[in-house]
Amino acid sequence: MSHELITFLILIIAIILFFLEILPLPVTAMLVPISLSLTGILEPQDAFSYFGDRWVIVFLGMFIISGAMFKTGFANRIGDLTVKIAGNNGFMLLFLVMLVLGVMSAFLSNTGATAVFVPVVVAVCLRSGINSKKMLMPMAFASSLGGTLTVIGTPPNGIVNSVLNESAKYSELGFFEFSKVGIFIFIIGILYMVFFGYKLLPKESTDEKEAFEDFSQNLRTEKMWFALLIFIFVIISMATGIIDLQVAAMLGAMLTIITGCLTMNEAFNSVNWTTIFLFAGMLSMSQAIEDSGAADLIANQIVNVSVSPYIVLGILFITTALLTNFMSNTATAAIFAPIAINIAESMSVSPYPFMMAIAISASCCFLTPIATPPNTIVLGPAGYRFKDYFIAGWPLQVITFIVAMIIIPIFFPF
């Protein structure tokens, strides 16, 4: 059996196990690098190297910082203020959280913004008596939607510009050019979740909510200003790029311990290890799809049906979105961006609509908890199941596709 087929087989089996939840999610995720190693698709050192991936490090750091925000009472204070503004109105609260986080994600790392907002939203839910399951997934979706508004909002946008920059024929997309498409998707996506999507989310309560309540006992309110300063420092560092994302996140995490906001045990307990193992395990699939030749196989199939640029636009969007739901969106964009340029040149059309489709589809993926970093971050704190994402996310996935197919050719003609 060829390496391409073996890779696809491992991916399909993993998807089935994720949906059925026969095994714990981290176990299924870890079986992926194990299988890729045993079948010779990847070398073991490569398959398990993603525990050092930059986003895994960011997750670790931001979980600890989030723990400090709870333990010092900072998240609770923000929660009280938000509830005061929303007036315990679940509808208004959901809209406010999605709007604020979406705008933040346009200018900050959407991963970082989501991670630091989790304890704030959970605190809001505790204060207002709202089930956190109704809030955290819409929050993650809003973060991804907001990331489409600027070039720095999400990694795929930067990758698209990097690939364009490597070619002497094309100029990079401007800072707000992504918003020509992203603003429509952002507004419509929020309206969908606020008026309809939240109804598809689980209604039952979760043990994670109780865990957050326990974590908030015996607050160290005298350390709140330390937590606040650390939080501001990390956000500014991420926004300006003065310090790299993973360095800023981990430095902030260490400062919470040094300043006494958290003890070492509390820092370890604040990390959601399901998220860490799930993300690190599945990142190996990204490299496997590229190294095995599966990515080339997909590209060749797209070229073979390139009878119309509109059809290719749709195929690129759907293919990128589907793969991104099961591998790193950064890796997916890196794989398909150069493929899109080659296809555009072979058809003698502009590559910009294809590149925009890849940037949008790599960020707007809502079917699984591993589709984007924000999706992964909220998995553990809300106690979601794998299929919860599919149930609430598939209409939004279809909506983003339809909007993109209409808007992209208008602002980026072939």
Side-chain angles (χ1 to χ4, degrees), residues 54 107-109 152 233-245 247-248:
R54 70 194 304 253
F107 301 97
L108 305 174
S109 158
I152 63 171
F233 163 73
V234 172
I235 291 297
I236 292 176
S237 298
M238 289 181 170
T240 61
I242 296 175
I243 302 177
D244 197 78
L245 287 176
V247 178

Side-chain angles (χ1 to χ4, degrees), residues 18 24 35 59 100 153 173 209 265 271 296 325 352 366 389:
F18 278 138
S35 300
F59 287 169
V100 171
L173 291 163
K209 186 173 181 179
N265 285 338
V271 175
D296 292 334
N325 273 296
Y352 289 105
F366 314 105
Y389 288 81

Side-chain angles (χ1 to χ4, degrees), residues 6 45 54 117 136 151 175 182 220 222 322 324 335 337 403-404:
I6 294 174
Q45 62 267 28
R54 70 194 304 253
F117 228 72
L136 290 184
V151 70
F175 190 89
R220 299 188 185 97
E222 73 279 4
L322 288 178
T324 298
I335 291 171
V403 174

